[in-house]
Amino acid sequence: MPRYVERPRQRGRTVLIVLTGIGVALGLVEVVVVAAGAEALEGARLAIIYALVPLPVLWFVYWWLDRYEPEPRRYKVAAFVWGGVGAVGIALAVQVLLGETTDLTQKELATFVAPASEEPAKGLFLLLTFLRWRRIIDGFLDGLIVAGLVGLGFAFVENIGYYALSYAGGPDVPIAGAEGAAGTFVVRGIASPFAHPLFLSAFGIALGLAVGIRSKVLKVLVGTLGLAISMALHGLWNGSASYFGGVGFALTYVALFVLFVTLAVVAIVARSRQVRTLERSLSYVAERGWIHPAEIPYLSRFGYRKQARRHARRHHGRVAGRIVRRYQRLATEMAFLHDAIMRGQTKPHGVERTYALLDAMYGLRPALRFPPPLPVAHRR
């Protein structure tokens, strides 16, 4: 089966994969060390289990948002690993250093130092990704997704630490053991699992918006504002209970929950707009004669896309199904890239990449086995 060769091929792919692999190895060691804070094997086991329980659901949310224009898996895994290893390591080093060299109280460290160290540490991955050809973060939704995955990685490791400490108990932990760990799980794993992704979302969205801004000064201002908002949200969350009491914490929780719901609605709307963008771009491409109009439903709507793959596998074998899947992915990437170019958005080597994707599609076409064309009424 012909393979698509990215042109020009983006450098650093192998380096990213190797570094991610190293990060995974370090992360496993980190998880064991952090879980050991429970001071008991049972506590360490509970801490890891509680941290893992919500992870599939949380990951599914970002996978669903990223479904139409999926980013490479290596970047998504790297984002999660950076949040859990790189960002945690940087933030922890800063907080330990300031805790040992200053007279700041635990409240001040949590309210001011933690947000000022953790959000930039998490955001470093987004910034480097943004600066590197801007082929991963190229809009509002991409920034939101990458920020969310980094936040999930950070929260995963941090939660293990909190669950372990709750199990071990101490002067500031009134309820210890399995009951204490379970209580902390309710607060962090059930009531506020999206806290860290929500904080960093402001910076991710800012970078996504900055892609469409031509002025470098304005790009920097938008990015800086986004990071400041991320730190402010984090500081408000951490400081609400310490400085405003139980009522203040409850009000802060409600306010951030409303913000989260609003952001979720906007993200769903943005995702639905991707369908219309994809159909519009494919229709224009069909008018140019690059694809057949009857292909559009099988390349745009998830139901019809699945139907096309099932038809190919059932009537022509597994290889035919894989060819249809690859053709759909190439067409999706080509359509979104073509739409961005037509709207005047700057895309590095955009035209060259568009033709390379079309060439890869043409290479698959002799073996392509789509179902019969749909009636015209069902093509939109």
Side-chain angles (χ1 to χ4, degrees), residues 250-267:
L251 292 175
T252 300
Y253 182 90
V254 171
L256 291 182
F257 180 77
V258 171
L259 177 62
F260 170 75
V261 171
T262 303
L263 188 60
V265 171
V266 173

Side-chain angles (χ1 to χ4, degrees), residues 86 88 97 125 151 153 161 163 191 225 230 269 295 339 361 374:
V88 168
L97 177 63
F125 181 88
Y163 300 147
L225 177 61
S230 292
V269 171
E295 296 179 16
D339 178 76
M361 292 169 63
L374 291 169

Side-chain angles (χ1 to χ4, degrees), residues 22 56 64 192 199 204 255 276 281 363:
I22 295 173
W64 183 82
S192 58
F199 303 151
R276 295 193 293 272
S281 182

Side-chain angles (χ1 to χ4, degrees), residues 188 192 195 199 232-241 249 252-253 256:
R188 299 186 65 87
S192 58
F199 303 151
L233 291 174
H234 194 164
L236 178 64
W237 173 260
N238 284 5
S240 59
F249 176 78
T252 300
Y253 182 90
L256 291 182

Side-chain angles (χ1 to χ4, degrees), residues 130 134 206-223 345-346:
F130 172 79
R134 298 199 302 273
L207 292 184
L209 297 176
V211 172
I213 300 174
R214 297 190 176 184
S215 169
K216 292 183 179 180
V217 174
L218 194 54
K219 283 180 186 289
V220 173
L221 290 176
V222 170
Q345 188 173 339
T346 301

Side-chain angles (χ1 to χ4, degrees), residues 25 60 79 109 121 134 175 246 258 293 358 374:
F60 172 80
L109 285 170
R134 298 199 302 273
I175 303 176
V258 171
L358 286 168
L374 291 169

